[in-house]
Amino acid sequence: MTIIRIRSLLATAVACVLAFTVTLAQAADPLPSWNEGKAKQSITAFVQRVTTRGSKDFVPPAERIAVFDNDGTLWAEQPMYFQLAFALDRIKALASQHPEWREKEPFASLLKEDLKGALAGGEKALAEIVMATHAGMTTEEFEKSVSDWLATAKHPKTGRPYNQMTYQPMVELLRYLRANGFKTYIVSGGGVEFMRAWVEQAYGIPPEQVVGSTIRTKFEMRDGSPVITRLPEIDFIDDKEGKPVGINKFIGRRPIFAFGNSDGDLQMLQWTAADGGARFIGIVHHTDAEREWVYDRDSHIGRLDKALDEGRARGWTIVSIKSDWRTVYPAKQQ
Amino acid sequence: MTIIRIRSLLATAVACVLAFTVTLAQAADPLPSWNEGKAKQSITAFVQRVTTRGSKDFVPPAERIAVFDNDGTLWAEQPMYFQLAFALDRIKALASQHPEWREKEPFASLLKEDLKGALAGGEKALAEIVMATHAGMTTEEFEKSVSDWLATAKHPKTGRPYNQMTYQPMVELLRYLRANGFKTYIVSGGGVEFMRAWVEQAYGIPPEQVVGSTIRTKFEMRDGSPVITRLPEIDFIDDKEGKPVGINKFIGRRPIFAFGNSDGDLQMLQWTAADGGARFIGIVHHTDAEREWVYDRDSHIGRLDKALDEGRARGWTIVSIKSDWRTVYPAKQQ
């Protein structure tokens, strides 16, 4: 037995001690930011059912796939999707390189802080904003632009950096599921590479477990080095019917646990629920005017209407932010 | 401390005992089907470098991404890609439902066992064969058709089921990498869903770690239940420049270990090699006429020409099947 193999044994021993420590820590409440009640209970009861060996609902760890919408489910989405806030700030930052924008919509309105005017052009205007800010650079340059933005931008209502507007109860839920052998995925309408820049730190979800909308990219040699550049062309929209399609394409297994907050998540929830066996379906309901926002059926962002009806009819777990969450955001970091 | 929490502690203890057992087992040669020599040594030396804590080349486990081409790298690909053999057998199986095929190319030639005539129509003919056999059913129906085929079809030269024509040395390599904290991925020009039906059993690679070519799919309700149906339309070709694009899209991290066997893998190997730091790049060279096949620069399948030159010039590990592999296929199963 070589020194390296002894080291390997020691590493295993250390890992085991750590595993015991984590297990003991979980003997405390794993979901401290959740109030006691039906929602919390339905989560822990489900996890117990599918992880108890010998139970008829036992699911082997490899099949414990959990999927989460991001905007409005894992972090806030008001007064506008945060990725749109990123795009608008990028337009301002890039304006000096684009003098033509001063005369050209939707950029001209945006640069005059007239968001309504800019978005009056509908989907076409939105697409132009996205392409001007999300394409035409390498993947590495884009990642840097997202990280730089997160380091400086502040949310208009809370004054927090956007990546500190994650929901603490959901971060605990992700951690709790992983401690119970689940593989946690994001399945979001947001851009994959926008999310990959920060979700590992925020949620403990690695880049390869992020499913989202994509634009086309291209491999090319630049000065003898390979780069991947982002093209101004949509590849895949991971929303509504796109969510189960994205799950099938990127994960290739049906989840047993799914969480969303809007009608855009309905098909993902239906797809998860339909396979028989023990399934957990959760919906975050935005009910807290003081600590967050109140919106559902009539909202233009995160509209929750059909999914709310179907969730109630089918006994899915509807989480009320106001009554089910003890805290909303994580403790402020400096 | 509840009974459940004590159970959780016991489960951790059992996991630790298992981890020790695995570690001890690895103290034996982890690559018994590899002959001693430069290729084997370059693999084990690399793994040691990147997994030794404190070494300047140490790579944290989360970043130990290893990617493998499939056809000709993890399993054989002669006398034709096995997925094409599947498609041809499907045409025969479906012929009774398609009387019109008796008059219509490329099907008419195929049904007369005239492969050359059928493929005379070039890419268009091939696309028609693929679409007729890979689309127009749900994802679950397609998976079943692949499993059923594997259970009965035999390779014309070896008489083995196709999924017993995997390369035993590569299966050991995958296992060895995973035991050292690597996450192993397939990145293949083959169809994602064709591979997902069998690769977990053959290689220990789960569905979510398979990157490949895709066709478009659609989510829809059928008799009140959601299904995903496969459409006769190409979505993404994961070959050549498509391989780094696929890696970026599905994995979102650059690999540190890549293995291929043909010019179709060259861009993936370049992308992996280019990021600086410790990188392993391997190429399987088909040099064994007796146990496998001999082909490289002039082959129409798995052509290895530019990548062989670049690999030699850059000191990549070129594995000769004839001299580096003690065994080629796994022991026959019944």
Side-chain angles (χ1 to χ4, degrees), chain A residues 34 67-78 81 165-171 173-174 185-189 198 203 243 257-265 268-269 282-286 292 295 302 304 319 321 325 328:
Chain A
W34 291 73
V67 291
F68 290 80
D69 169 59
N70 185 43
D71 297 307
T73 300
L74 295 181
W75 76 348
E77 61 183 349
Q78 297 283 2
Y81 292 127
M165 290 190 63
T166 54
Y167 299 136
Q168 179 63 17
M170 297 303 279
V171 172
L173 173 56
L174 290 167
Y185 280 83
I186 292 172
V187 177
S188 167
W198 56 274
Y203 307 133
K243 290 206 173 194
F257 189 110
F259 233 114
N261 79 304
S262 79
D263 285 359
D265 303 313
M268 169 174 87
L269 305 181
I283 292 175
V284 174
H285 192 189
H286 296 269
E292 214 242 355
Y295 58 100
L304 174 66
V319 173
I321 293 187
W325 287 359
V328 176

Side-chain angles (χ1 to χ4, degrees), chain A residues 174-252:
Chain A
L174 290 167
R175 205 180 293 139
Y176 170 63
L177 290 173
R178 288 193 295 264
N180 281 283
F182 283 75
K183 216 164 171 175
T184 53
Y185 280 83
I186 292 172
V187 177
S188 167
V192 166
E193 301 206 79
F194 175 78
M195 293 185 281
R196 281 181 177 151
W198 56 274
V199 296
E200 187 157 30
Q201 200 181 8
Y203 307 133
I205 293 180
E208 63 269 27
Q209 284 163 229
V210 182
V211 179
S213 297
T214 50
I215 63 175
R216 288 200 191 278
T217 62
K218 188 183 164 193
F219 174 88
E220 59 189 350
M221 285 292 177
R222 193 177 282 183
D223 305 326
S225 287
V227 293
I228 294 178
T229 49
R230 295 169 58 81
L231 306 178
E233 200 185 329
I234 295 289
D235 174 45
F236 175 64
I237 301 285
D238 189 55
D239 196 31
K240 302 192 175 74
E241 289 82 4
K243 290 206 173 194
V245 165
I247 288 170
N248 184 63
K249 178 162 146 173
F250 285 81
I251 310 177

Side-chain angles (χ1 to χ4, degrees), chain B residues 237-254:
Chain B
I237 301 286
D238 189 55
D239 196 31
K240 300 192 176 74
E241 288 82 5
K243 289 206 174 196
V245 165
I247 288 170
N248 184 64
K249 178 164 149 172
F250 285 82
I251 309 177
R253 286 193 215 256
R254 204 188 289 240

Side-chain angles (χ1 to χ4, degrees), chain B residues 85-95 101 133 137 145-146 149:
Chain B
F86 160 76
L88 301 186
D89 285 348
R90 285 293 293 163
I91 296 283
K92 289 177 206 161
L94 294 169
W101 284 356
T133 53
M137 72 282 277
S145 77
V146 178
W149 177 74

